[in-house]
Amino acid sequence: MSNQNLFSALRNAFPSDLDQIAVETEQGLCYSWRDLDRASAMVANLFDGLGIPAHSRVAVQVEKSVEALILYLATLRAGHVFLPLNTAYQSAEIEYFIGNAEPAVVVCSGKNHGWVSPIAFKAGTQYVFTLNDDRTGSLLDRAASQSDRHQPAIRRADDLAAILYTSGTTGRSKGAMLSHGNLLSNAAILKNYWGWVPGDVLIHALPIFHVHGLFVAIHGAMLNGSKMIWHAKFDPRRVIADMPRATVFMGVPTLYVRMLADLDLNRQAVARMRLFIAGSAPLLIETFQEWQQRTGHTILERYGMSETIMLTSNPYAADPRYDGQSERRGGTVGFTLPEVSLRVLDDQGQPCAVDEIGGIQVRGPNVFSGYWRMPEKTAEEFTADGYFKTGDVGKIDPRGYITIVGRSKDLIISGGYNVYPAEIEGFINDMPGVAESAVVGVPHPDFGEVGVAVVIPKPQGRLNGEEIIAILKARLANFKIPKRCFVVDELPRNTMGKVQKNLLREQHKALFKS
Ligand code: MLC
Ligand code: AMP
């Protein structure tokens, strides 16, 4: 049987002329397909020479750069398991991930080496390398003397390729285990469904430590042999300026909101673009409509998650599975993708009728095999017939369009990042003088939703909302910090004594109204 290593599939999609440009950076640096091939071979050879076990975890917390992309490709190529970590995570968060995943190799920014390496070595990591966003660091120094030819490790479709940490309702992060087959099958489906064509050019402006930027965007472009225009950080002005040289853009809703605020966004700027894709959080219908009016383009919204990669998508072209419908409908996440099974069930576990709201469950070649070293959690989240319970709540209309109406999991999605109230509440509750706290998500014009904390002090406790926020900032990733913190005497409760978060959300819903 042929090698089912995802890297091999990506490599096979490289254009025959390897001197074509694969990635171009804002600084004007151009990397050819040959550069990606040779550089990933060198890093893979470095890994091969380390004497670490096959299928080792390689944990990576580095700024976005083309070398970070090469590190991802090299990890696949060498047959190891890529474990990307948000650059905003601080030491307590990193300590948990590294302790849980026990990576053989950790790659971090040079500026963080001082605190990351003790955490890693304590957890049994054998090698800590540095990689900076200016093409320096010990990883590249060590790889420089390696051969630039490398035979990809033989991997089966169900061998692990990546672990993505995602939190649960308890606030404790779980590593979603994704295989080479999960990633490749989803990428191949999307290549077809989104009509990738020769000559497509992707503007890549998302972080590369989550599903959207790492898998959907990178695999999409690479499987099509398409060039990427690489933005290390999203800047609306620069993205708009690059549109005349590109055809595809992918973003979370906040990116669209920010581009709409720029007067340079007009029909002329987008004239060459073929497709705008949005996801990771709900795209407001106002944003969808304003984009249509301003640019003449209809954003294609899709839905997915770390455990499953992409699940549904609005159609790019007429979909024969759904009576040839081709309309991209705002406020919906479109149709179930080919090869994916999706169902909506009521509280009794019975299938919902058309337009009836229930819990979304999914099955398919894209769905992960389980949570890293958490068999009980895995068992809880799957049904007996193999469907994964997404924790999202939605409905399917008579035409087959799916709408997400909410979540059964207590989760805030802020600017496309997930924030778990239970995790933040845990940190606040541990502060001296705090009796109890509740964190809820409220609407925000830029981030879609942001967290707000409501805290009850202990008797005689002296608390100040700003101080609580300052303490949290020193411990947690910045996007998790509640934007406001109120100290109050009591929280609304139901007769069972449970905090009524819906009432808190209602009370604070206009805090950030624009
Ligand atoms: C930054 N800040 C945020 C935030 N991002 N606050 C809430 N939510 C966010 N998402 C805050 C910082 O804490 C800081 O606050 C201030 O904003 C400026 O920080 P910054 O780093 O300069 O922000 P900026 O560069 O403007 O980042 C905003 C952003 C970024 C929208 C570009 O958040 C982003 O790239 N989001 C995309 C996330 C993503 O890729 N999600 C995909 C998940 S995959 P202060 O107070 O310190 O100044 C997934 C599955 C699927 O969900 O379906 O795709
Ligand atoms: P993550 O754990 O980061 O992979 O986040 C996945 C979650 O993001 C899903 O379970 C959904 O709740 C949400 N999500 C992703 N895409 C969309 C979308 N288009 N509309 C609404 N919610 C979405």
Side-chain angles (χ1 to χ4, degrees):
M1 191 187 268
S2 64
N3 189 0
Q4 289 169 314
N5 187 322
L6 169 65
F7 176 81
S8 299
L10 298 174
R11 176 65 186 81
N12 288 340
F14 282 17
S16 49
D17 176 5
L18 289 178
D19 290 322
Q20 282 181 25
I21 297 172
V23 189
E24 184 187 320
T25 71
E26 299 147 279
Q27 292 77 33
L29 285 176
C30 290
Y31 294 71
S32 67
W33 293 95
R34 191 185 307 283
D35 292 333
L36 295 189
D37 188 34
R38 291 171 57 180
S40 63
M42 292 163 90
V43 177
N45 280 319
L46 169 65
F47 287 161
D48 283 0
L50 294 177
I52 54 177
H55 309 272
S56 285
R57 274 82 58 210
V58 177
V60 175
Q61 190 197 29
V62 298
E63 297 299 330
K64 183 174 175 182
S65 68
V66 182
E67 285 66 30
L69 163 64
I70 290 166
L71 170 58
Y72 168 55
L73 297 175
T75 305
L76 294 174
R77 190 168 186 161
H80 295 305
V81 180
F82 194 69
L83 198 164
L85 295 165
N86 193 317
T87 46
Y89 291 146
Q90 303 208 38
S91 58
E93 293 155 313
I94 293 293
E95 192 165 3
Y96 172 76
F97 296 123
I98 292 185
N100 187 256
E102 297 181 346
V105 176
V106 169
V107 185
C108 65
S109 309
K111 67 176 176 9
N112 294 340
H113 184 262
W115 62 266
V116 173
S117 57
I119 291 175
F121 290 130
K122 195 172 137 217
T125 295
Q126 288 160 269
Y127 296 93
V128 178
F129 295 110
T130 58
L131 177 64
N132 304 312
D133 57 3
D134 60 356
R135 289 174 289 142
T136 63
S138 60
L139 182 84
L140 300 179
D141 291 346
R142 290 282 303 275
S145 54
Q146 301 288 331
S147 159
D148 61 3
R149 300 174 75 88
H150 179 274
Q151 202 57 39
I154 305 287
R155 287 293 174 266
R156 295 192 326 232
D158 60 359
D159 280 328
L160 263 194
I163 297 181
L164 259 60
Y165 274 87
T166 161
S167 293
T169 41
T170 57
R172 204 169 148 229
S173 276
K174 300 167 292 188
M177 299 191 288
L178 293 161
S179 66
H180 289 264
N182 293 147
L183 297 172
L184 182 56
S185 75
N186 207 241
I189 288 166
L190 294 176
K191 175 178 183 320
N192 199 25
Y193 204 70
W194 290 343
W196 283 87
V197 285
D200 267 335
V201 174
L202 173 79
I203 300 179
H204 193 302
L206 286 163
I208 54 168
F209 37 69
H210 287 307
V211 162
H212 200 160
L214 182 63
F215 300 148
V216 188
I218 290 176
H219 295 168
M222 289 191 75
L223 212 51
N224 195 51
S226 276
K227 177 169 114 175
M228 289 189 267
I229 301 181
W230 193 256
H231 290 212
K233 203 169 160 19
F234 171 72
D235 175 344
R237 181 153 292 236
R238 292 207 319 269
V239 170
I240 295 167
D242 274 338
M243 283 182 188
R245 306 189 299 124
T247 61
V248 181
F249 178 78
M250 298 185 193
V252 300
T254 300
L255 307 198
Y256 288 95
V257 169
R258 290 188 182 181
M259 285 193 280
L260 280 167
D262 195 311
L263 295 179
D264 285 346
L265 181 79
N266 53 39
R267 283 176 190 247
Q268 202 189 338
V270 303
R272 195 179 162 232
M273 293 293 289
R274 178 175 73 79
L275 183 58
F276 290 96
I277 299 170
S280 308
L283 180 75
L284 290 182
I285 189 78
E286 293 79 12
T287 312
F288 175 87
Q289 285 167 345
E290 203 184 331
W291 191 270
Q292 221 168 21
Q293 280 152 14
R294 183 94 78 82
T295 69
H297 276 272
T298 306
I299 297 174
L300 178 155
E301 185 172 1
R302 91 312 179 268
Y303 154 63
M305 56 195 306
S306 303
E307 290 92 335
T308 64
I309 334 171
M310 295 301 100
L311 292 165
T312 77
S313 171
N314 271 278
Y316 172 69
D319 189 332
R321 300 170 309 143
Y322 292 90
D323 295 334
Q325 295 176 97
S326 60
E327 187 196 355
R328 295 177 213 160
R329 300 190 67 200
T332 83
V333 293
F335 303 133
T336 304
L337 281 168
E339 295 180 44
V340 176
S341 303
L342 182 148
R343 65 190 186 191
V344 180
L345 299 187
D346 65 18
D347 289 345
Q348 277 71 50
Q350 295 306 310
C352 287
V354 163
D355 274 335
E356 196 188 330
I357 292 170
I360 297 176
Q361 301 186 349
V362 295
R363 197 169 68 174
N366 51 312
V367 175
F368 77 135
S369 56
Y371 294 111
W372 173 253
R373 290 183 181 160
M374 290 189 186
E376 306 82 23
K377 265 277 152 214
T378 303
E380 267 172 40
E381 304 296 338
F382 279 90
T383 63
D385 58 349
Y387 277 79
F388 172 63
K389 304 172 196 167
T390 63
D392 292 308
V393 174
K395 59 181 184 177
I396 308 180
D397 81 2
R399 300 206 278 160
Y401 286 89
I402 296 155
T403 303
I404 312 285
V405 300
R407 300 164 209 133
S408 56
K409 50 195 175 192
D410 191 11
L411 161 70
I412 300 167
I413 304 186
S414 189
Y417 286 139
N418 289 2
V419 181
Y420 286 83
E423 182 187 12
I424 320 300
E425 289 159 4
F427 272 90
I428 299 178
N429 294 347
D430 283 345
M431 292 180 194
V434 171
E436 198 184 349
S437 65
V439 172
V440 293
V442 301
H444 189 274
D446 183 31
F447 294 121
E449 200 178 17
V450 294
V452 169
V454 185
V455 182
I456 313 186
K458 281 187 179 148
Q460 278 90 48
R462 287 162 57 88
L463 289 176
N464 170 317
E466 278 163 26
E467 276 171 31
I468 292 174
I469 286 188
I471 298 171
L472 287 177
K473 276 191 176 173
R475 296 195 188 163
L476 287 170
N478 58 8
F479 63 88
K480 295 181 187 171
I481 309 300
K483 300 288 181 212
R484 296 285 294 276
C485 177
F486 299 100
V487 177
V488 300
D489 291 334
E490 56 184 0
L491 292 169
R493 291 174 195 282
N494 64 15
T495 47
M496 310 289 287
K498 195 167 181 284
V499 176
Q500 290 174 298
K501 287 198 165 180
N502 54 332
L503 295 184
L504 288 175
R505 273 192 285 270
E506 185 60 27
Q507 186 184 347
H508 296 295
K509 70 177 183 197
L511 261 184
F512 302 100
K513 232 180 176 135
S514 49

